[in-house]
């Protein structure tokens, strides 16, 4: 048995130093402003003949990227017994939320049709949560939803993709790639196939490019490059 005592949290909002941290939005190290730090500690005293004790430290810090201005949570943990005996400094573990390895939505994703955006967002959440089978079903669902948004009606996804091509919404190369994704992720939907993270990342890249072409770039082109009558000179 051990006797545990907790210290009062220490909250700091002034005199905080800014640091360089990896930004989950900017995808690089950027200058971050420290907004608040909260320090916690607890000490465990062993109830034995040696009376050993160990203190655990946690620091929660809200930081804000000075590029995209997005906030995130930084957590540092260490203990009095976990020491680097070369430097005699504590070994500090650091975590960030959102995680720095997480996928993020592409810029402008909020302009997607609502049903498509919801499916896209849930697919990213599934990948970040390492629910790869569910994410595979999500990739297939994205193709289905694109067809639905484009008023492509048919019973089988195979035929829907062909019609998406025949009406000029996708290229021949895109059609072939979508068929490859359909075949792969049919296994997720019907055979509990678990794709690899690399497969999912490449698949999402393909779908993101398609969504940008249909729903983002075409809209921007109409805004900035309105059609004109051909010159008669």
């Amino acid at each position: 048995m051990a006797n545990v005592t907790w210290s009062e949290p220490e909250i700091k909002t002034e005199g905080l130093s800014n640091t360089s941290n990896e930004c989950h939005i900017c995808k690089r190290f950027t200058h971050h402003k420290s907004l608040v730090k909260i320090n916690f500690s607890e000490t465990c005293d062993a109830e034995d003949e040696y009376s050993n004790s160990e203190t655990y430290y946690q620091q929660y810090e809200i930081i804000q990227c000075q590029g995209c201005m997005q906030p995130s949570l930084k957590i540092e943990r260490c203990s009095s017994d976990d020491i680097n005996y070369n430097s005699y400094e504590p070994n500090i573990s650091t975590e960030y939320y959102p995680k720095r390895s997480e996928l993020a939505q592409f810029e402008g994703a909020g302009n997607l049709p609502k049903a498509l955006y919801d499916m896209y967002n849930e697919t990213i959440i599934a990948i970040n949560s390492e629910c790869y089978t569910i994410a595979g079903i999500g990739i297939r669902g994205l193709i289905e939803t694109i067809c639905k948004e484009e008023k492509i009606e048919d019973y089988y996804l195979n035929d829907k993709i062909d019609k998406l091509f025949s009406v000029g919404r996708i290229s021949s190369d895109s059609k072939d790639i979508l068929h490859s994704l359909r075949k792969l992720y049919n296994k997720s939907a019907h055979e509990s196939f678990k794709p690899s993270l690399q497969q999912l990342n490449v698949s999402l890249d393909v779908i993101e490019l398609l969504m940008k072409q249909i729903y983002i770039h075409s809209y921007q082109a109409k805004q900035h490059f309105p059609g004109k009558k051909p010159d008669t000179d």
Side-chain angles (χ1 to χ4, degrees), residues 5 42 45 53 69 90 112 119 185 202 215 220:
T5 56
E42 61 182 81
D45 295 301
S53 67
M69 305 305 289
L112 294 171
M119 179 66 71
Y185 296 115
V202 172
Y215 301 106
Q220 291 175 340

Side-chain angles (χ1 to χ4, degrees), residues 52-190:
N52 291 325
S53 67
E54 183 175 6
T55 301
Y56 299 90
Y57 302 93
Q58 294 187 85
Q59 178 176 268
Y60 288 69
E61 181 180 12
I62 303 296
I63 57 177
Q64 182 186 42
C65 174
Q66 297 303 286
C68 66
M69 305 305 289
Q70 287 296 307
S72 55
L73 174 64
K74 179 180 180 180
I75 304 175
E76 292 184 340
R77 295 185 175 92
C78 64
S79 80
S80 58
D81 281 12
D82 189 7
I83 301 295
N84 183 323
Y85 290 102
N86 291 320
S87 63
Y88 295 100
E89 295 289 336
N91 291 315
I92 300 174
S93 65
T94 304
E95 298 177 61
Y96 293 91
Y97 295 93
K99 294 181 180 178
R100 291 321 191 232
S101 60
E102 285 189 345
L103 294 175
Q105 299 174 8
F106 66 82
E107 185 177 355
N111 294 319
L112 294 171
K114 185 178 186 308
L116 185 58
Y117 174 80
D118 289 345
M119 179 66 71
Y120 173 56
N121 185 51
E122 290 179 12
T123 301
I124 287 179
I125 291 173
I127 294 174
N128 288 336
S129 301
E130 300 183 7
C131 299
Y132 296 157
T133 302
I134 301 300
I137 297 172
I139 295 291
R140 188 185 188 283
L142 284 170
I143 301 173
E144 287 270 15
T145 308
I146 290 172
C147 292
K148 183 177 180 180
E149 291 294 335
E150 295 305 302
K151 306 296 189 292
I152 304 297
E153 297 182 357
D154 214 300
Y155 186 78
Y156 296 106
L157 182 56
N158 176 48
D159 296 327
K160 290 179 182 179
I161 293 172
D162 287 341
K163 285 187 177 180
L164 202 60
F165 166 70
S166 65
V167 299
R169 298 304 285 153
I170 59 173
S171 67
S172 178
D173 287 343
S174 294
K175 180 191 71 171
D176 293 340
I177 294 172
L178 290 184
H179 277 309
S180 297
L181 298 184
R182 171 185 61 81
K183 293 175 183 177
L184 179 64
Y185 296 115
N186 274 345
K187 297 179 181 179
S188 293
H190 304 300

